[in-house]
Amino acid sequence: QRRVHGLDTPCSGVMLFATHTHVYHQLRTAFRQRRVQKYYFAIVTGRLEGRCHLRYWLQMGNGSRVTTSLTESSNAWLCTQECIGEYEPSTETSRVVVRLHTGFRHQIRVILATMGHPIVGDTTYGGTPADRLMLHSHKLAIPDMGIEAIAPLPLPW
């Protein structure tokens, strides 16, 4: 068994493994060619409403932290994602659906924190402490291969 798609340790949700080498290579090709659809749910601090399309350059910083930039640099990866947010006034948080177009370590966590909306429970990137990181990999699909995996939300959410 080889891992094709993993998650940050505190994140819950869909992971993808291949049991045969040739399938592993087919799946990795689908990721490289960006034929994979990845949807995440997050709860973030503050008011984040409506749709947004985000484009940031990410690079490894000190230790395991990732840093952002709005401009290209030689050691940075261009990362894009779309978000749809809905504000919850009683908790001063927003529920966000994120669709990744690319994948980079901590991408969702870093970009939302850079926007001023860290994920609840993500103390690494400025989020308020919680029992768990409120980031969940909800759906992973590769339509041309007939693959769709959905992980229900964990409780409490």
Side-chain angles (χ1 to χ4, degrees):
Q1 223 178 28
R2 294 180 73 181
R3 186 178 73 173
V4 179
H5 172 70
L7 301 172
D8 294 345
T9 301
C11 184
S12 60
V14 176
M15 295 179 69
L16 184 62
F17 293 86
T19 55
H20 299 288
T21 302
H22 71 283
V23 174
Y24 172 81
H25 292 296
Q26 290 174 341
L27 292 168
R28 292 303 304 153
T29 297
F31 274 85
R32 272 193 308 279
Q33 293 175 347
R34 297 198 175 130
R35 298 184 347 246
V36 180
Q37 299 170 358
K38 298 175 278 186
Y39 294 88
Y40 289 75
F41 293 143
I43 298 178
V44 302
T45 57
R47 182 183 295 257
L48 181 59
E49 293 182 298
R51 293 183 166 269
C52 57
H53 183 82
L54 307 168
R55 178 184 166 104
Y56 283 86
W57 292 90
L58 300 183
Q59 60 191 15
M60 292 304 299
N62 294 331
S64 63
R65 287 182 58 95
V66 175
T67 60
T68 63
S69 172
L70 292 173
T71 58
E72 181 177 1
S73 70
S74 61
N75 59 344
W77 291 80
L78 178 62
C79 297
T80 61
Q81 65 192 43
E82 294 175 60
C83 296
I84 301 173
E86 180 180 309
Y87 183 61
E88 178 55 55
S90 65
T91 58
E92 296 183 358
T93 60
S94 298
R95 295 178 183 271
V96 180
V97 177
V98 177
R99 178 171 183 220
L100 290 182
H101 297 286
T102 54
F104 190 86
R105 181 182 190 171
H106 299 180
Q107 177 178 332
I108 297 170
R109 297 166 62 188
V110 172
I111 290 176
L112 289 172
T114 298
M115 294 174 58
H117 300 287
I119 297 172
V120 172
D122 190 2
T123 55
T124 301
Y125 294 103
T128 56
D131 291 337
R132 64 179 300 273
L133 177 69
M134 299 306 284
L135 178 61
H136 178 75
S137 172
H138 174 65
K139 179 180 174 182
L140 185 145
I142 310 172
D144 61 34
M145 295 179 77
I147 295 172
E148 181 177 275
I150 296 175
L153 284 170
L155 296 176
W157 192 261

